[in-house]
Each structure stands twice: as structure tokens, then as C-alpha cells.
């Protein structure tokens, strides 16, 4: 199976892309909701959680692991790779394609405070931004709204407006979505940007990467295809109620105590 994890429900935006690209493969998705959000935690805390989760997923029989969280990729992908013998795919803000396509010479990246302040983003900017100016903004409160399943209330709309409206006066033409929770708020972002600004969600690129690694390794999907959804929240009912709105179908959610 393909294993995937995030601090919470955001990685389901990656789940959608991977599950559509690889219709034969079962996916086990783990949401670390007991520790969500990661964006305000220390590197050590995020790395410790990530390694623990990945070890557990590998023991469950993962053929490949997707870190469906920019923050965990930034903080912990090296630790995770050191621990696991299977291929590990991480996710990072699509600064490279957004900068390459920019005509106005200005783009924005929206991500958690942790990701925005990271060396990883600094390296991406140094390597790929060139002369393009990259405005960095956190989506304050966005992760919490997605976790609560609130994708369209006035309160959510206001949080989206607070982060995006100031960018609209800056002549940007691309926005890289650098947190896997944010694509669920894309309809609200588009209400503000219209079609003139392109949103970059790297989920489909991740799905292509997973596909090519599985091909390279000659791995075949186990039958039958059975997806699993797991939360570290002792109460699985929250996640199970949110799944239809986020991925279009209900599933049973298991609760896992991981200490
Ligand atoms: N979904 C995660 C990301 O891609 C982070 C959310 C959080 O702060 O936990 O960065």
C-alpha cells in the first residue's frame, strides 16, 4: 500500500491526487490530529512525531511513504529517510514553477509560519526565484478552519480575505499553496483573485512522482484495493464526519493511540 500522513486533514488534498492517478493502489492515510497544527511546533517535536508515525506506517506494510505535509517535510524528511528503507516522497511549495511562469515578476507563497521561516524555503528561493520577488504570507487560522470542516462560512471567508487581499495590490500573478490544507480553501481564494492569478497546488506533481517511483521499483498493488483512514485523535468521529466534504465519500476512520 501507499502510506501517507499529515498533521491533520490537509494531506487529503494529496490523497485525492494520488488516489486518482493510481486507481489500483490502496492508500493508508494517517492524520496526526492529536498534535495538529504542526505549524507552531518546534523542529524537534515535528521530527519526533513524523518518525514515530512513519515507523508505524512502514510496519503496517507501506511500499512507499508520502509526507503529505509541507511543514513535516521541511522539519523532518531527512530524519524519516534515515529511518525507513522504503522510498519517501515529500512536498514543498511550488516556488520553482510559479517563479518560472511569472510575467509580472512577483509571486506569493502561502504556507505555515514554520515553512515560511525554514531553510528549505530559503534554499528554494535562492535556487529558483531569480529576479522574481516572492511575497511570503501565512494563512493565519486556515488550518484550524479546514480541521473543523468549515470551508465556506463568513468566518473562514474573512480569514482568507485577511491573508489574500493585501497581496492583490502587489501585482502578483501566481500563488504557490505551500500547505496541504490550503487547497481546500481554493474556492474562497479564487473568489478574491478571479482568474488573473494562478494557484499552484503541487499535489498532482506528487502523484506523478509516486507513480514513477512505483514503476521504477517494479512494485505491484496488492489486491483488493482497500483504503484506510486513521487519526491519532481518540475520537475518530470528527474526521469521519469531514471525509465526505473533503474527498467526496465516507469511510470508516480508525483511531490510533501513538505515544
Ligand atoms: N498541512 C500542513 C502543511 O502542509 C501543516 C498544517 C499544520 O500546521 O499542522 O504544512
Amino acid at each position: 500500500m501507499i502510506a501517507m500522513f499529515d498533521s491533520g486533514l490537509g494531506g487529503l488534498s494529496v490523497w485525492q491526487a494520488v488516489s486518482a492517478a493510481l486507481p489500483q493502489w490502496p492508500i493508508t492515510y494517517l492524520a496526526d490530529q492529536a498534535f495538529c497544527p504542526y505549524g507552531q511546533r518546534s523542529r524537534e517535536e515535528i521530527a519526533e512525531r513524523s518518525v514515530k508515525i512513519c515507523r508505524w506506517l512502514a510496519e503496517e506494510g507501506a511500499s512507499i511513504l508520502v509526507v503529505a505535509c509541507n511543514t513535516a517535510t521541511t522539519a523532518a524528511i531527512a530524519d524519516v529517510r534515515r529511518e525507513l528503507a522504503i522510498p519517501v516522497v515529500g512536498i514543498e511549495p511550488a516556488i520553482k514553477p510559479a517563479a518560472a511562469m511569472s510575467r509580472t515578476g512577483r509571486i506569493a507563497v502561502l504556507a505555515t509560519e514554520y515553512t515560511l521561516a525554514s531553510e528549505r524555503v530559503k534554499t528554494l528561493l535562492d535556487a529558483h526565484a531569480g529576479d522574481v520577488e516572492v511575497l511570503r504570507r501565512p494563512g493565519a487560522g486556515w488550518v484550524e478552519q479546514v480541521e473543523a470542516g468549515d470551508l465556506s462560512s463568513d468566518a473562514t471567508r474573512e480569514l482568507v480575505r485577511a491573508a489574500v487581499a493585501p497581496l492583490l495590490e502587489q501585482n502578483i500573478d501566481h500563488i504557490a499553496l505551500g500547505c496541504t490544507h490550503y487547497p481546500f480553501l481554493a474556492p474562497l481564494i479564487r473568489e478574491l483573485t478571479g482568474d488573473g492569478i494562478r494557484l499552484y497546488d503541487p499535489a498532482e506533481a506528487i502523484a506523478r512522482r509516486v507513480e514513477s517511483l512505483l514503476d521504477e521499483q517494479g512494485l505491484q498493488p496488492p489486491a483488493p484495493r482497500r483504503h484506510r483512514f486513521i487519526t491519532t485523535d481518540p475520537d475518530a468521529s470528527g474526521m469521519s464526519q469531514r471525509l465526505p466534504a473533503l474527498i467526496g465519500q465516507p469511510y470508516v476512520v480508525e483511531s490510533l493511540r501513538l505515544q
Side-chain angles (χ1 to χ4, degrees), residues 6-7 36-39 69-71 112 143 178-181:
D6 178 39
S7 60
C36 187
Y38 279 5
C69 176
N70 293 261
T71 309
T112 63
V143 169
C179 169
T180 53
H181 283 74

Side-chain angles (χ1 to χ4, degrees), residues 112-135:
T112 63
E113 308 248 12
Y114 187 96
T115 300
L116 292 176
S118 69
E119 271 305 304
R120 182 76 204 128
V121 160
K122 193 173 168 305
T123 308
L124 284 174
L125 293 175
D126 291 345
H128 306 298
D131 291 337
V132 174
E133 191 179 341
V134 183
L135 308 176

